[in-house]
Amino acid sequence: MVVETTLTVDLAIILLSATLLGFVARQTGQPTIIAYIVAGVLIGPVVFGIVEVTELTDTLSDLGLAFLLFLLGIKMRLDDVRHVLSPIVKISIPQMVAVAAVGGGAAYALNFVPIGALSGFTVLESVIIGLAVMYSSTAVVIKMLTDRDEATSLHGKIDVGVLLVQDIVVVILLAVLAAGRPESAGEVARTLAVVLVLVAVVTVAALAASKYALPRVFRRIADNKEIFFLVAISWAFLFVFVSDNVNLFLEPLGLTAYLSIEMGAFLAGLAIAQLPYSKELQNRVNPLTDLFVMIFFASVALDIQARELLFYWREAIVVAVVLMVAKFLIFFVLINWQRFDIETNFLGSLYMIQVSEFGIVVGVAALAGDFIGVEVLGFLTLVALITMAVSVYFIEFGDRLFERFEPWLSQFEPKETFSEGGKAYNGHAVAIGYDDVTRNVLPLLDEYYDDVVVIDRRVDHIEALQAEGFDAIYGDVASSTIRKDAALKKADFVFSSSDQPAVNKTIIDEVGEGTTVFVEARSDAGAEILYEYGADYVVNSFNLAADRLTAYLEAYLDGRPTFDRAIETDTELLRNPDPFPKTHEQMVGELDD
């Protein structure tokens, strides 16, 4: 009971301190990741020693990274990234080799620096350091891309793709290190083969499920938000469990291997990403991911003693500076080699200058395998913390840095740049919600616009719209992800069939200056508010119905034949089974004139 209380108190202290410093960071315009890391340093052994790593904090920290990768997987539709796969592979492999060489070389070169305060590392330690620093931080880069709504940008796709290749490599490396000092090259080759086969099998299983099993399940539950969310989270935990307990399946075969839960979580998200419901899920997973990620960053410094962390502090500063400069230059050259535009090149390079949290994990595995000492692990941890902290500021102000250096950087831009090839909306129409009003509006919009995008939350509506050739997006327009995918800012015309004032205000705030916006309101007072807020036209269904009723009465009083023909026409429209009737062509003559 006392142990449980202590665990609860430790968790409460982590959450409270991280939240408090995160709030201060927000108020002062600083990145929250830095606040979380500082919180861990303050409450950990390095400063006050209030909290130590426990099984609970360790588990929650691991889940934080796993959920971050799950969220990343949900964003990765294969159709959206297939066109950049080849450049990503061509960038990733040379980058890791080059950075490993620079990192290991810099560590060993310290032996020859004529400064008494600095000391170098052995050849084996330098090799391990090189292998540990060649990755960029998945947690930092993805968190910043998500916060800045850039995960689906071109530089975001490149960085995410490179991170995934790096994650696969680190899984393989951890499997080798976990086996300790290998007795032969054959043992190393066997371990590598097992891990590669495992990754391939789990990937095939995830993609097969996304094609044959998940569509049936999610189609039945997508309209129930609570069940939809719980099933998605359960799916993630299933892959986390399989990855964490992969040896249970391999023991009968006489094999052992390591597969990270982060990889399993990513593949679970990747399977869901291929479904039309993935965008709706992204905003639901975000808050849960933020909670676990906050614990992850706060926990980074909890299990390091001050002496271990600071034993090589001078060397850590030197190597950190060398690595950040080298990583930027290496990425810049390689991304430029693949003919990406200069802004994509600059931002994609700038975002990847830090050393990954996996560098610390590699250090821990190397320590357990008796490759390095605890002081070298402290060195790797400090290098990772320094580069993470500095890189967050570079990422935060990346746009401003590019604007300042663009005139000079433009000389490096290739004459022919890489094209994404994806569909980009511009000057299109967007309809929000599919109901009887939208049903009659869509054919008319389709005649005037090349692209008509419809946002709706019912699966059967999405399927019907897609069958008719409309671009349909499943989800809630309250989600910024959904609004971005529909390109509201670039739309020429937006029609909202929602009568929720908050929803319509969000839409009006989102659209560009030249966009024409039609929205609905429940009352005249509500319509007046929306007009003041900037709507071009407000539809009041009750008033329209009242006007129609008045027209009916006038027709009835003026002459029965006119009334009968009007009733017959309207009844025919109501009974029309066509999901997209061309109502505007039939609403002519007599009453409608």
Side-chain angles (χ1 to χ4, degrees):
M1 187 69 176
V2 174
V3 175
E4 291 180 1
T5 303
T6 303
L7 292 176
T8 304
V9 171
D10 285 350
L11 180 59
I13 292 173
I14 293 172
L15 291 174
L16 182 61
S17 59
T19 301
L20 180 61
L21 289 181
F23 174 76
V24 172
R26 283 286 188 188
Q27 295 300 108
T28 56
Q30 305 304 308
T32 54
I33 290 178
I34 298 300
Y36 300 154
I37 294 175
V38 170
V41 172
L42 292 177
I43 64 178
V46 176
V47 182
F48 297 118
I50 302 172
V51 177
E52 296 180 356
V53 169
T54 63
E55 186 176 351
L56 177 62
T57 57
D58 203 27
T59 300
L60 292 176
S61 177
D62 289 342
L63 285 175
L65 202 52
F67 268 99
L68 196 60
L69 268 292
F70 178 61
L71 179 62
L72 170 63
I74 294 174
K75 295 174 180 287
M76 288 292 107
R77 290 186 62 85
L78 293 180
D79 290 340
D80 294 338
V81 299
R82 185 176 287 114
H83 59 285
V84 294
L85 286 180
S86 177
I88 284 171
V89 173
K90 291 176 182 177
I91 292 168
S92 304
I93 305 303
Q95 170 269 319
M96 284 187 283
V97 172
V99 173
V102 171
Y108 188 72
L110 291 173
N111 289 299
F112 307 101
V113 175
I115 300 176
L118 297 176
S119 59
F121 299 88
T122 66
V123 173
L124 180 58
E125 288 172 341
S126 298
V127 170
I128 295 297
I129 289 170
L131 293 174
V133 301
M134 64 185 183
Y135 320 103
S136 298
S137 174
T138 301
V140 170
V141 174
I142 295 175
K143 181 74 169 76
M144 294 300 290
L145 284 173
T146 303
D147 287 350
R148 294 167 61 82
D149 202 19
E150 296 177 355
T152 56
S153 65
L154 185 52
H155 67 269
K157 291 176 182 177
I158 294 170
D159 287 348
V160 167
V162 171
L163 288 169
L164 292 178
V165 175
Q166 291 179 353
D167 288 349
I168 294 172
V169 172
V170 80
V171 166
I172 297 170
L173 179 60
L174 289 173
V176 174
L177 293 175
R181 291 178 183 261
E183 296 179 0
S184 65
E187 186 180 342
V188 175
R190 181 188 178 196
T191 303
L192 290 175
V194 171
V195 173
L196 289 174
V197 170
L198 276 176
V199 172
V201 168
V202 177
T203 301
V204 170
L207 294 178
S210 73
K211 185 174 182 179
Y212 300 109
L214 292 182
R216 297 180 182 181
V217 174
F218 278 92
R219 190 183 186 286
R220 292 176 179 274
I221 63 172
D223 293 333
N224 187 320
K225 292 184 178 182
E226 289 74 20
I227 300 298
F228 175 67
F229 176 71
L230 290 175
V231 170
I233 296 300
S234 299
W235 175 254
F237 273 109
L238 172 63
F239 273 70
V240 166
F241 171 80
V242 170
S243 301
D244 195 39
N245 295 275
V246 69
N247 279 323
L248 293 177
F249 306 98
L250 295 179
E251 281 180 0
L253 303 175
L255 300 173
T256 57
Y258 173 86
L259 192 62
S260 71
I261 63 172
E262 293 82 14
M263 179 63 70
F266 170 76
L267 293 174
L270 186 67
I272 293 178
Q274 313 316 309
L275 306 177
Y277 326 112
S278 59
K279 298 183 187 301
E280 171 70 11
L281 186 61
Q282 290 174 22
N283 277 42
R284 292 181 160 274
V285 175
N286 262 327
L288 187 62
T289 302
D290 288 342
L291 173 65
F292 285 128
V293 166
M294 179 173 67
I295 296 172
F296 168 79
F297 280 110
S299 301
V300 166
L302 288 183
D303 56 354
I304 299 293
Q305 299 296 325
R307 180 187 171 279
E308 299 167 0
L309 186 66
L310 301 176
F311 189 85
Y312 286 114
W313 69 270
R314 297 179 184 87
E315 292 81 357
I317 293 174
V318 172
V319 172
V321 172
V322 170
L323 279 173
M324 286 188 288
V325 174
K327 282 197 171 193
F328 176 81
L329 293 176
I330 290 168
F331 271 104
F332 190 90
V333 170
L334 291 173
I335 295 175
N336 192 66
W337 170 47
Q338 292 302 304
R339 300 183 298 102
F340 288 96
D341 65 89
I342 198 64
E343 182 176 8
T344 298
N345 190 348
F346 179 81
L347 295 178
S349 303
L350 190 67
Y351 283 26
M352 302 288 276
I353 63 173
Q354 69 289 120
V355 171
S356 173
E357 60 282 351
F358 285 126
I360 303 172
V361 176
V362 169
V364 171
L367 177 64
D370 197 28
F371 291 94
I372 60 173
V374 68
E375 292 81 10
V376 179
L377 175 60
F379 165 81
L380 287 172
T381 302
L382 190 55
V383 169
L385 291 176
I386 292 171
T387 56
M388 282 183 187
V390 173
S391 71
V392 167
Y393 285 98
F394 277 111
I395 296 172
E396 187 71 21
F397 301 106
D399 293 329
R400 299 182 194 178
L401 289 172
F402 176 72
E403 289 176 5
R404 173 165 293 187
F405 292 108
E406 184 180 9
W408 181 77
L409 290 169
S410 59
Q411 64 182 309
F412 300 105
E413 186 160 23
K415 294 181 179 179
E416 295 183 5
T417 57
F418 181 90
S419 174
E420 281 198 83
K423 187 172 184 178
Y425 295 117
N426 193 15
H428 58 299
V430 179
I432 296 154
Y434 179 68
D435 57 13
D436 288 337
V437 177
T438 314
R439 173 173 173 258
N440 294 317
V441 167
L442 286 178
L444 184 60
L445 293 177
D446 194 36
E447 290 184 9
Y448 283 86
Y449 291 97
D450 293 332
D451 293 310
V452 179
V453 182
V454 187
I455 302 172
D456 195 80
R457 265 201 47 81
R458 282 186 52 174
V459 177
D460 55 336
H461 288 172
I462 295 296
E463 292 176 348
L465 289 161
Q466 290 176 337
E468 290 295 321
F470 292 101
D471 292 346
I473 298 176
Y474 175 88
D476 191 336
V477 74
S479 163
S480 60
T481 304
I482 300 297
R483 297 196 300 272
K484 183 178 179 181
D485 287 340
L488 281 186
K489 288 185 181 296
K490 298 181 179 180
D492 179 68
F493 178 85
V494 175
F495 173 73
S496 169
S497 63
S498 171
D499 58 6
Q500 300 296 318
V503 171
N504 289 325
K505 287 181 178 180
T506 299
I507 293 167
I508 295 170
D509 285 335
E510 182 81 10
V511 299
E513 291 183 4
T515 306
T516 301
V517 182
F518 280 32
V519 294
E520 280 202 51
R522 298 178 181 177
S523 63
D524 290 340
E528 187 175 344
I529 291 173
L530 290 172
Y531 275 125
E532 292 175 355
Y533 206 77
D536 294 284
Y537 182 74
V538 181
V539 178
N540 188 326
S541 300
F542 294 106
N543 285 350
L544 290 177
D547 290 343
R548 193 68 175 174
L549 177 60
T550 301
Y552 278 144
L553 289 174
E554 289 177 350
Y556 178 78
L557 295 173
D558 289 344
R560 183 76 187 209
T562 302
F563 173 77
D564 289 340
R565 283 191 295 272
I567 292 295
E568 183 179 349
T569 300
D570 286 358
T571 303
E572 182 182 346
L573 285 172
L574 292 172
R575 291 175 178 172
N576 189 349
D578 187 352
F580 303 97
K582 295 188 176 181
T583 310
H584 59 285
E585 294 182 358
Q586 301 178 49
M587 297 286 285
V588 293
E590 299 190 84
L591 189 65
D592 293 303
D593 286 341

